[in-house]
Amino acid sequence: MKVLVPVKRVIDYNVKVRVKADGSGVDLANVKMSMNPFDEIAVEQAIRLKEAGKADEIVVVSIGVKQSQETLRTALAMGADRAILVNAADDVHTDIEPLAVAKILAKVVEEEQPGLVLAGKQAIDNDMNATGQMLSALLGWSQGTFASELDVDGDKAVVTREVDGGLQTIKVNMPTIVTVDLRLNEPRYASLPNIMKAKKKPLDEKTAADYGVDVTPRLEIVSTTEPEARAAGIIVGSVDELVGKLKEAGAV
Amino acid sequence: MAVLLLAEVTDGALALDATAKAVTAATKLGDVTVLAAGASAADAGAEAAKIAGVSKVLVAEDASLGHRLAEPTAALIAGLASDYEHIVAPATTDAKNVLPRVAALLDVMVISDVSAVVDGNTFERPIYAGNAIQTVKSSDAKKVVSFRTATFDAAGDGGSASVETISAADNPALSEWIEDKVAESDRPELTSAGVVVSGGRGVGSEDDFKLIENLADKLGAAVGASRAAVDSGYAPNDWQVGQTGKVVAPELYVAVGISGAIQHLAGMKDSKIIVAINKDEEAPIFQVADYGLVADLFEAVPELMEKLG
């Protein structure tokens, strides 16, 4: 079985984001970028499936600016076999919307015929939480979102999902799309020899036009602002004072 | 302008709070029709009809809709879409599973986690886990929107909407439900709790995390944890508050032994009152706290419990 894993280049999760002065978005120039943390978990899960003999090839794909090549190399260093870079934007500040990404991925799926697509449940930049579900709809496939456990067995997969208030377990028909949540696994670090080897693994370059997909956004960004800052608080001197303040505020 | 609102129905019961909050947001867009879907949904539909501002309720009962599997639920909604300009829901995990699928079936973008309605096409939503707020204007003919419930007040009762029964779409039979494991706890659910008590790396061990749980029980609160505490194995991941965990906005948030990494602040900084207890006075958590107490948590927490009476 071939596994396709879409990965996204996003601002590193430890970096404090800064809103650009003109309100057009968040400043991404000269900021540390990394693979979306949820996508790292998806790559790791694909590698574990391969190690368990349930997958034979892992193809990673990234859609965006040419710098996404670095993200793909990271996935290759972790253990993916080959990569596809779909150039869809020139400016690092251009975010390709989930609908357009899903349409391109649907074309990649047609070409590659994977038995499983493993994706992060959301990207930590636009937080839309949509691409996997949208791809599933476009393909008419089943979906198992927010997975904390995955067991692929022949033409079915059992997916345990993180839902509000607990867990839900479902069985889905293969081929399927599974979007992964944090608890699924702990991604490995790429070793130096593997980073060197990854440089020689195949990486195909394509464009959105190659797939005939229009990536014009449906959502116009009107403005981007800093959230309202919280009013300055106070340091209390004792537990008594804290309890007093909380009672005053009606909080306890 | 007509709005179709997917009610939150779990095992036949309406999640009134989440649904009523979404109704408040949806009434800004137009006439609200609520869809109650489930293996049994009539009771949930009848309850939704009483929410003020709801003008009509559609009840769809079918075994395929019993556990809110995405494929049959999305097919049902997409089949109803021609009558509505907006298709909305509270931003629960169920809705986030279903709505993007609906949007793709309709060839429109989904707009997730909306925190404010500007007009029928324009919405505010947090990005980067709330570190920025973006206003977006949709050019799609239909808008598929989920509302972040923490930012809307629940609509009241007193409505008397008409209820109509409709049939389910053909079940594509792509998936089947096996089981639900509801977290067995008498504590409130983390994302809707009025009070949350969270522990961080400073708590030091899984055993000592009992202290956090005891304080939470004293306050009738849900228990949260920082990613550092989860990574250290002190607390399970479904307690995690932050960018990579759950986003909460309770009336009172008590952060114990949490330094306040960016990724944690992103998950709790919309709380109404924030209390921080940490022995490091330089900890960034104090910059967002309304009340900060610089103290050893192992002394301060027991004393706090005692003084809360």
Side-chain angles (χ1 to χ4, degrees):
Chain A
M1 180 181 69
K2 190 190 284 185
V3 182
L4 184 73
V5 186
V7 296
K8 185 174 187 183
R9 176 181 185 265
V10 298
I11 200 165
D12 186 88
Y13 81 95
N14 275 313
V15 173
K16 177 157 176 54
V17 302
R18 280 194 178 73
V19 172
K20 286 200 287 181
D22 65 0
S24 62
V26 161
D27 193 359
L28 298 177
N30 305 314
V31 173
K32 185 184 177 197
M33 304 295 282
S34 299
M35 191 191 303
N36 178 39
F38 293 104
D39 300 349
E40 278 189 327
I41 295 169
V43 173
E44 173 67 34
Q45 195 65 24
I47 297 167
R48 289 187 189 189
L49 283 170
K50 191 177 172 190
E51 287 168 348
K54 291 188 173 180
D56 43 38
E57 190 183 22
I58 302 164
V59 181
V60 285
V61 54
S62 193
I63 296 160
V65 291
K66 64 177 189 306
Q67 290 89 335
S68 301
Q69 196 173 127
E70 296 157 20
T71 313
L72 289 168
R73 290 289 174 202
T74 304
L76 293 171
M78 286 173 73
D81 297 299
R82 62 188 172 86
I84 303 167
L85 171 64
V86 182
N87 285 299
D90 297 323
D91 180 349
V92 293
H93 292 97
T94 305
D95 189 35
I96 309 296
E97 287 177 349
L99 181 62
V101 169
K103 287 181 177 181
I104 293 171
L105 289 174
K107 299 283 185 186
V108 174
V109 166
E110 265 176 40
E111 272 180 18
E112 295 286 341
Q113 297 287 315
L116 172 67
V117 178
L118 272 171
K121 76 163 178 175
Q122 73 189 69
I124 62 164
D125 49 6
N126 65 38
D127 282 336
M128 205 58 101
N129 189 334
T131 301
Q133 297 91 313
M134 288 186 143
L135 175 61
S136 176
L138 296 176
L139 295 169
W141 286 11
S142 62
Q143 69 185 50
T145 52
F146 325 143
S148 60
E149 279 180 59
L150 170 64
D151 182 16
V152 178
D153 188 12
D155 60 352
K156 303 271 183 187
V158 175
V159 184
T160 298
R161 309 177 51 238
E162 303 257 2
V163 295
D164 292 336
L167 298 171
Q168 180 188 55
T169 304
I170 60 172
K171 188 185 270 188
V172 297
N173 291 356
M174 302 289 279
T176 192
I177 290 160
V178 173
T179 76
V180 306
D181 216 322
L182 280 178
R183 264 203 287 187
L184 184 62
N185 63 50
E186 203 171 303
R188 69 194 65 192
Y189 291 102
S191 67
L192 192 58
N194 286 342
I195 291 170
M196 301 310 290
K197 265 191 244 165
K199 291 181 178 165
K200 297 199 179 106
K201 288 185 178 176
L203 189 151
D204 278 350
E205 288 205 50
K206 303 264 192 177
T207 65
D210 291 341
Y211 295 105
V213 173
D214 179 4
V215 297
T216 309
R218 305 293 185 86
L219 304 179
E220 176 203 342
I221 295 167
V222 179
S223 67
T224 311
T225 56
E226 299 269 358
E228 271 178 57
R230 292 186 70 90
I234 55 164
I235 296 288
V236 294
S238 67
V239 170
D240 282 319
E241 194 185 345
L242 175 61
V243 171
K245 291 285 183 196
L246 289 176
K247 284 188 173 157
E248 229 171 81
V252 292
Chain B
M1 302 296 170
V3 185
L4 181 68
L5 188 156
L6 177 66
E8 181 79 359
V9 180
T10 307
D11 292 339
L14 181 73
L16 181 62
D17 186 61
T19 304
K21 283 174 172 168
V23 168
T24 297
T27 48
K28 297 176 202 286
L29 300 169
D31 230 21
V32 179
T33 297
V34 169
L35 170 64
S40 64
D43 290 352
E47 200 180 348
K50 293 182 196 147
I51 300 173
V54 175
S55 54
K56 190 176 176 185
V57 174
L58 302 178
V59 172
E61 292 191 326
D62 190 85
S64 67
L65 301 170
H67 300 282
R68 297 287 290 277
L69 293 172
E71 304 90 348
T73 310
L76 169 66
I77 297 170
L80 297 169
S82 59
D83 293 337
Y84 304 94
E85 183 183 339
H86 294 89
I87 295 165
V88 306
T92 58
T93 48
D94 275 351
K96 286 177 173 177
N97 189 31
V98 171
L99 286 190
R101 192 173 179 101
V102 172
L105 292 174
L106 300 174
D107 191 26
V108 302
M109 255 303 283
V110 69
I111 311 170
S112 309
D113 266 323
V114 162
S115 52
V117 175
V118 179
D119 61 38
N121 297 312
T122 315
F123 304 91
E124 278 181 22
R125 58 184 300 272
I127 57 172
Y128 289 92
N131 285 304
I133 308 295
Q134 199 154 62
T135 304
V136 294
K137 185 175 182 186
S138 171
S139 58
D140 285 322
K142 289 186 192 300
K143 271 68 67 175
V144 178
V145 178
S146 65
F147 295 114
R148 178 168 280 201
T149 51
T151 53
F152 295 96
D153 294 327
D157 54 12
S160 57
S162 61
V163 179
E164 186 187 320
T165 304
I166 58 167
S167 43
D170 287 338
N171 183 6
L174 292 165
S175 58
E176 59 186 291
W177 173 82
I178 296 178
E179 67 170 345
D180 285 333
K181 266 193 207 152
V182 178
E184 279 182 40
S185 168
D186 295 334
R187 298 191 186 110
E189 201 267 313
L190 186 55
T191 52
S192 59
V195 183
V196 174
V197 178
S198 289
R201 203 201 302 270
V203 178
S205 73
E206 191 180 355
D207 283 346
D208 286 329
F209 219 84
K210 286 275 181 294
L211 195 61
I212 304 299
E213 297 178 54
N214 292 343
L215 178 58
D217 291 341
K218 185 94 191 170
L219 290 165
V223 183
S226 69
R227 181 167 179 172
V230 172
D231 283 348
S232 305
Y234 306 165
N237 188 63
D238 53 339
W239 290 0
Q240 191 191 150
V241 172
Q243 179 165 31
T244 50
K246 295 197 164 83
V247 176
V248 302
E251 296 292 317
L252 174 63
Y253 187 89
V254 184
V256 182
I258 291 178
S259 65
I262 292 163
Q263 93 93 24
H264 183 74
L265 300 184
M268 45 63 82
K269 65 185 170 45
D270 290 331
S271 307
K272 295 247 162 57
I273 296 177
I274 297 173
V275 171
I277 301 173
N278 200 303
K279 66 180 172 190
D280 174 11
E281 61 184 286
E282 301 292 324
I285 190 77
F286 288 122
Q287 289 163 21
V288 301
D290 297 283
Y291 307 112
L293 177 64
V294 181
D296 183 340
L297 70 94
F298 296 103
E299 289 165 19
V301 171
E303 188 185 344
L304 179 59
M305 287 177 60
E306 185 193 318
K307 303 224 158 117
L308 284 168

